[in-house]
Protein backbone atom coordinates (compact mmCIF):
# COMPACT_ATOMS: atom_id res chain seq x y z
CA UNK A 1 0.00 0.00 0.00
CA UNK A 2 1.34 3.36 -1.00
CA UNK A 3 0.93 6.26 1.41
CA UNK A 4 0.14 9.70 0.07
CA UNK A 5 -0.78 8.36 -3.36
CA UNK A 6 -4.00 8.68 -5.29
CA UNK A 7 -5.11 5.07 -5.01
CA UNK A 8 -8.52 4.78 -3.45
CA UNK A 9 -9.28 8.51 -3.50
CA UNK A 10 -11.20 8.71 -6.78
CA UNK A 11 -12.84 12.05 -7.39
CA UNK A 12 -13.26 12.81 -3.69
CA UNK A 13 -10.72 15.66 -3.56
CA UNK A 14 -12.40 17.42 -6.50
CA UNK A 15 -15.88 17.28 -4.99
CA UNK A 16 -15.52 20.32 -2.67
CA UNK A 17 -14.13 22.37 -5.55
CA UNK A 18 -17.06 21.43 -7.76
CA UNK A 19 -19.58 22.16 -5.00
CA UNK A 20 -18.07 25.62 -4.54
CA UNK A 21 -17.93 26.24 -8.30
CA UNK A 22 -21.61 25.47 -9.02
CA UNK A 23 -22.99 28.78 -7.62
CA UNK A 24 -20.37 30.68 -9.60
CA UNK A 25 -21.30 28.75 -12.73
CA UNK A 26 -24.96 29.71 -12.27
CA UNK A 27 -23.99 33.35 -11.74
CA UNK A 28 -21.69 33.36 -14.75
CA UNK A 29 -24.45 31.79 -16.85
CA UNK A 30 -26.78 34.65 -15.93
CA UNK A 31 -24.06 37.25 -16.48
CA UNK A 32 -23.25 35.85 -19.92
CA UNK A 33 -26.91 36.08 -20.94
CA UNK A 34 -27.05 39.74 -19.89
CA UNK A 35 -23.77 40.55 -21.63
CA UNK A 36 -24.71 38.82 -24.88
CA UNK A 37 -22.12 36.05 -24.56
CA UNK A 38 -22.49 32.26 -24.76
CA UNK A 39 -24.02 31.24 -21.40
CA UNK A 40 -23.35 27.50 -21.53
CA UNK A 41 -19.69 28.07 -22.39
CA UNK A 42 -19.25 30.46 -19.48
CA UNK A 43 -20.89 27.98 -17.08
CA UNK A 44 -18.82 25.05 -18.38
CA UNK A 45 -15.49 26.88 -18.12
CA UNK A 46 -16.39 27.93 -14.58
CA UNK A 47 -16.65 24.25 -13.59
CA UNK A 48 -13.16 23.32 -14.90
CA UNK A 49 -10.97 23.27 -11.77
CA UNK A 50 -7.83 25.16 -12.84
CA UNK A 51 -9.21 27.19 -15.73
CA UNK A 52 -11.92 28.74 -13.56
CA UNK A 53 -9.42 30.89 -11.65
CA UNK A 54 -8.22 32.56 -14.83
CA UNK A 55 -11.73 32.68 -16.25
CA UNK A 56 -13.05 34.51 -13.19
CA UNK A 57 -10.45 37.24 -13.79
CA UNK A 58 -11.68 37.46 -17.38
CA UNK A 59 -15.29 37.68 -16.18
CA UNK A 60 -14.44 40.46 -13.74
CA UNK A 61 -12.77 42.54 -16.45
CA UNK A 62 -15.61 41.86 -18.88
CA UNK A 63 -18.17 43.09 -16.36
CA UNK A 64 -16.13 46.20 -15.55
CA UNK A 65 -15.78 47.07 -19.23
CA UNK A 66 -19.52 46.49 -19.81
CA UNK A 67 -20.36 48.83 -16.95
CA UNK A 68 -17.95 51.47 -18.26
CA UNK A 69 -19.44 51.19 -21.76
CA UNK A 70 -22.97 51.63 -20.40
CA UNK A 71 -21.89 54.62 -18.33
CA UNK A 72 -20.26 56.18 -21.40
CA UNK A 73 -23.39 55.73 -23.53
CA UNK A 74 -25.64 57.13 -20.80
CA UNK A 75 -23.27 60.07 -20.34
CA UNK A 76 -23.28 60.71 -24.08
CA UNK A 77 -27.07 60.48 -24.20
CA UNK A 78 -27.40 62.89 -21.27
CA UNK A 79 -24.88 65.24 -22.84
CA UNK A 80 -26.74 65.41 -26.14
CA UNK A 81 -30.10 65.81 -24.36
CA UNK A 82 -28.75 68.76 -22.33
CA UNK A 83 -27.50 70.57 -25.46
Amino acid sequence: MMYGGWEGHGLGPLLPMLVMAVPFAIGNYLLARRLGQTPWLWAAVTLIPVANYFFMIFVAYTVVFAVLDRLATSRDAAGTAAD
Side-chain angles (χ1 to χ4, degrees):
M1 179 182 216
M2 190 164 103
Y3 294 103
W6 279 92
E7 83 182 39
H9 291 287
L11 294 177
L14 291 179
L15 187 62
M17 289 175 47
L18 287 175
V19 168
M20 290 180 2
V22 167
F24 288 107
I26 294 169
N28 285 344
Y29 177 85
L30 297 173
L31 271 174
R33 280 187 15 196
R34 290 199 60 167
L35 294 173
Q37 302 293 328
T38 310
W40 290 106
L41 180 64
W42 278 39
V45 174
T46 304
L47 294 174
I48 299 173
V50 175
N52 63 0
Y53 295 116
F54 299 106
F55 185 68
M56 294 302 273
I57 294 170
F58 168 76
V59 168
Y61 275 106
T62 303
V63 169
V64 167
F65 287 136
V67 168
L68 290 175
D69 289 343
R70 287 187 185 185
L71 286 174
T73 56
S74 66
R75 184 190 63 208
D76 292 342
T80 55
D83 290 342

